[in-house]
């Protein structure tokens, strides 16, 4: 038998393959189902509640809303727009404010190119800005705040002992937070016409040698063994850029001019300017004593090193009240180390939000119309003002009372300082501060 005819064993590889039908496997009825992890079950109600809240408040699509950014140049009242709650309320309207910080007079005298809105802290700067516009603009004055002097208890008590300051009474007879300051007597300390003094020469060029007072000279070193041989003075920001410093100059000028607004009733511009120059020469030494200009007075005063930086700082009432509100929330009590001096005569400042574009118009309208933003302003220590609403100081006082914070007493001396006309005020500011000429742009 040949090899070809001999039978061969069939290999596994040579065998034909048989295709098998796929099997459909089903889960046994008695097999338990896989359960969700416990942390997922706990989170589900919270997520559902959050979704319902977003739907109810209309914020479910907020991440998809278009946010309008408003470029704004602001002075000290930028504190309001920096507040997280104010920012949240503005986002509800689709607005975000990008703040460019600058002093009020700096805002009024420098370029406004690219700005949608400006927020100077007082009327003189606001008028300068409005005068530069070639068309009518939208604006609002949302609140007022008095100009005050922030100091520390030992210094206020020293001023009280020499008859310059008077403590405001408290409801419970405890330590007061507020003092009324007689500006005429206080200016006597600043220029050395009362108290223990040393001669420093003819400061105001009126032919009479003035004498300067020191804190130890009026008795500061007699309380608690402390000592300060420094001059009695007020630390201010630059009069060339700051509304607060300009308003402080208005108070000094008013008192130095016999409780009359310089230039008022002068009859002609020449006499008004001459009176401004005379008054400026009298008050310039009271400002020059501090040396270099300082910025951010409230931040320095309210810092841990505030007392070592300056015994008295020029600030706004709302900055102090906001500090007290925050301090009470954090510690459950008032900060009784820091106190306020309310000048007599007094001066109110009226910040004005001015629109420079369509986007700025939106911001002004929201500030005018949103009651939540007004309520938040009160919680930040502002005295809110809107037409048709009365008792705004009462609203602030009521809020302070609910927080256990002493309410400032209304000034019994109702003598109010009215700022001079713009040209006269500019002359006083430029003379006292030796200010550089402004660099203005087109409206």
């Amino acid at each position: 038998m040949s090899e070809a005819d001999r039978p061969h064993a069939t290999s596994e590889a040579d065998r034909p393959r048989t295709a098998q039908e796929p099997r459909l496997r089903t889960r046994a009825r008695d097999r338990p189902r896989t359960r969700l992890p416990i942390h997922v079950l706990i989170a589900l109600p919270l997520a559902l509640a959050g979704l319902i809240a977003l739907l109810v408040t209309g914020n479910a699509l907020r991440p998809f809303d278009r946010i309008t950014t408003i470029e704004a140049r602001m002075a000290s009242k930028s504190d309001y727009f920096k507040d997280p709650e104010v920012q949240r309320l503005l986002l509800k309207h689709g607005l975000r404010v990008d703040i460019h910080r600058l002093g009020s007079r700096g805002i009024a005298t420098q370029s406004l190119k690219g700005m949608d809105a400006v927020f100077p802290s007082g009327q003189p700067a606001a008028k300068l800005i409005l005068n530069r516009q070639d068309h009518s603009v939208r604006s609002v004055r949302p609140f007022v705040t008095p100009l005050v002097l922030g100091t520390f208890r030992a210094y206020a008590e020293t001023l009280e002992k020499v008859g310059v300051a008077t403590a405001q009474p408290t409801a419970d007879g405890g330590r007061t937070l507020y003092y009324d300051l007689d500006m005429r007597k206080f200016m006597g300390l600043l220029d050395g016409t009362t108290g223990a003094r040393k001669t420093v020469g003819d400061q105001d060029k009126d032919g009479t040698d003035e004498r300067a007072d020191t804190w130890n000279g009026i008795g500061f070193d007699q309380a608690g063994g402390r000592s300060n041989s420094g001059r009695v003075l007020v630390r201010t920001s630059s009069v060339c850029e700051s509304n607060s410093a300009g308003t402080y100059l208005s108070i000094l000028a008013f008192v130095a001019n016999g409780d009359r607004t310089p230039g008022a009733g002068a009859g002609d511009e020449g006499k008004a300017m001459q009176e401004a120059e005379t008054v400026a020469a009298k008050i310039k030494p009271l400002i020059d004593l501090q040396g270099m200009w300082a910025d951010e007075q409230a931040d320095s005063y309210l810092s841990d090193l505030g007392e070592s930086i300056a015994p008295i700082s020029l600030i706004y009432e709302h900055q102090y009240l906001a500090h007290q509100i925050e301090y009470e929330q954090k510690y459950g009590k008032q900060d009784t180390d820091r106190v306020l001096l309310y000048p007599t005569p007094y001066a109110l400042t009226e910040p004005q939000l001015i629109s420079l574009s369509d986007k700025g118009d939106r911001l002004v309208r929201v500030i005018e119309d949103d009651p939540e933003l007004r309520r938040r302003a009160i919680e930040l220590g502002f005295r809110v003002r809107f037409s048709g609403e009365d008792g705004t100081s009462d609203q602030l006082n009521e809020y302070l009372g609910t927080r256990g914070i002493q309410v400032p007493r209304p000034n019994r001396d109702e003598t109010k300082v009215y700022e001079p006309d713009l040209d006269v005020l500019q002359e006083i500011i430029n003379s006292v501060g030796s200010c550089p000429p402004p660099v203005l742009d087109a409206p």
Side-chain angles (χ1 to χ4, degrees):
M1 179 179 293
S2 66
E3 185 68 24
D5 296 331
R6 189 173 294 168
H8 294 277
T10 303
S11 67
E12 187 68 25
D14 294 333
R15 292 178 181 175
R17 295 180 179 273
T18 302
Q20 295 183 352
E21 294 185 4
R23 295 183 179 180
L24 181 61
R25 300 183 64 181
T26 60
R27 187 172 58 187
R29 290 179 179 270
D30 58 348
R31 182 179 178 180
R33 296 187 178 186
T34 303
R35 295 183 178 180
L36 291 175
I38 186 66
H39 64 275
V40 175
L41 291 175
I42 294 174
L44 277 176
L46 297 175
L48 182 59
L51 178 59
I52 293 173
L54 289 173
L55 292 172
V56 170
T57 59
N59 291 323
L61 299 179
R62 180 63 63 193
F64 304 99
D65 286 352
R66 181 179 178 181
I67 303 300
T68 299
T69 298
I70 296 171
E71 302 295 334
R73 188 161 286 165
M74 300 184 176
S76 58
K77 302 309 177 289
S78 62
D79 296 347
Y80 176 72
F81 286 95
K82 289 180 179 178
D83 176 65
E85 178 63 13
V86 170
Q87 293 174 350
R88 185 190 70 81
L89 293 172
L90 288 175
L91 281 175
K92 290 175 60 177
H93 297 276
L95 299 178
R96 185 180 73 86
V97 179
D98 188 6
I99 298 171
H100 303 261
R101 182 68 184 265
L102 188 63
S104 292
R105 293 193 76 251
I107 295 174
T109 59
Q110 295 186 24
S111 172
L112 300 178
K113 186 177 181 180
M115 294 295 107
D116 298 305
V118 291
F119 198 18
S121 296
Q123 286 304 287
K127 289 179 180 178
L128 286 172
I129 294 168
L130 292 172
N131 289 344
R132 292 169 58 185
Q133 307 309 308
D134 58 2
H135 61 282
S136 61
V137 297
R138 192 180 186 104
S139 67
V140 62
R141 285 180 279 174
F143 32 69
V144 299
T145 186
L147 191 74
V148 293
L149 303 179
T151 188
F152 300 86
R153 183 164 301 281
Y155 290 98
E157 291 176 348
T158 300
L159 293 174
E160 185 181 21
K161 289 177 182 178
V162 296
V164 176
T166 304
Q168 293 187 9
T170 61
D172 59 0
R175 297 201 296 178
T176 186
L177 296 181
Y178 313 114
Y179 292 77
D180 294 324
L181 182 70
D182 187 317
M183 282 303 296
R184 182 168 295 282
K185 293 180 180 179
F186 183 62
M187 287 171 62
L189 293 181
L190 295 179
D191 67 9
T193 59
T194 59
R197 307 164 299 257
K198 60 181 180 180
T199 301
V200 295
D202 186 3
Q203 297 181 85
D204 55 12
K205 310 302 179 185
D206 63 355
T208 303
D209 285 345
E210 284 80 31
R211 288 165 294 179
D213 288 286
T214 66
W215 284 109
N216 285 347
I218 63 172
F220 179 79
D221 57 347
Q222 298 175 10
R226 304 179 67 186
S227 175
N228 187 341
S229 59
R231 293 282 301 271
V232 178
L233 55 84
V234 176
R235 191 172 189 256
T236 76
S237 47
S238 170
V239 297
C240 298
E241 295 186 358
S242 165
N243 175 76
S244 62
T247 304
Y248 181 60
L249 283 188
S250 295
I251 296 178
L252 297 179
F254 182 85
V255 175
N257 200 42
D259 289 347
R260 293 188 303 108
T261 301
D268 61 62
E269 185 177 353
K271 290 183 179 180
M273 290 310 216
Q274 185 177 5
E275 189 171 30
E277 293 174 4
T278 301
V279 171
K282 290 182 178 179
I283 65 176
K284 181 177 173 63
L286 312 184
I287 297 295
D288 286 348
L289 291 175
Q290 72 171 327
M292 184 178 295
W293 301 121
D295 295 324
E296 304 293 348
Q297 289 302 296
D299 290 347
S300 297
Y301 167 65
L302 297 171
S303 71
D304 292 339
L305 297 176
E307 189 169 1
S308 62
I309 294 173
I312 302 180
S313 298
L314 185 69
I315 63 173
Y316 293 107
E317 180 195 57
H318 79 90
Q319 294 170 321
Y320 177 84
L321 295 181
H323 164 74
Q324 288 290 357
I325 293 168
E326 183 179 2
Y327 193 91
E328 189 279 331
Q329 290 173 342
K330 187 174 183 180
Y331 300 105
K333 61 181 181 178
Q334 300 177 130
D335 177 2
T336 56
D337 290 332
R338 291 177 174 84
V339 298
L340 283 191
L341 304 172
Y342 281 88
T344 301
Y346 71 97
L348 291 176
T349 60
E350 301 179 80
Q352 187 162 353
L353 180 63
I354 302 172
S355 168
L356 302 176
S357 70
D358 291 341
K359 291 195 292 185
D361 286 350
R362 285 185 59 189
L363 179 62
V364 169
R365 284 195 296 270
V366 168
I367 296 298
E368 283 180 320
D369 299 337
D370 192 327
E372 290 184 287
L373 286 169
R374 292 200 291 274
R375 186 161 49 250
R376 183 56 182 166
I378 292 173
E379 295 171 356
L380 293 174
F382 288 100
R383 300 182 183 274
V384 178
R385 53 166 291 178
F386 281 94
S387 59
E389 292 191 11
D390 297 324
T392 51
S393 285
D394 292 340
Q395 294 176 35
L396 174 61
N397 294 343
E398 181 181 353
Y399 179 74
L400 293 175
T402 62
R403 307 297 311 185
I405 299 170
Q406 181 185 347
V407 175
R409 185 186 66 179
N411 198 320
R412 292 184 177 180
D413 185 340
E414 297 183 358
T415 305
K416 181 179 184 296
V417 172
Y418 292 95
E419 291 164 323
D421 290 339
L422 273 179
D423 292 342
V424 174
L425 181 59
Q426 289 284 89
E427 177 63 30
I428 296 174
I429 290 174
N430 290 335
S431 296
V432 172
S434 302
C435 303
V439 180
L440 301 178
D441 63 339

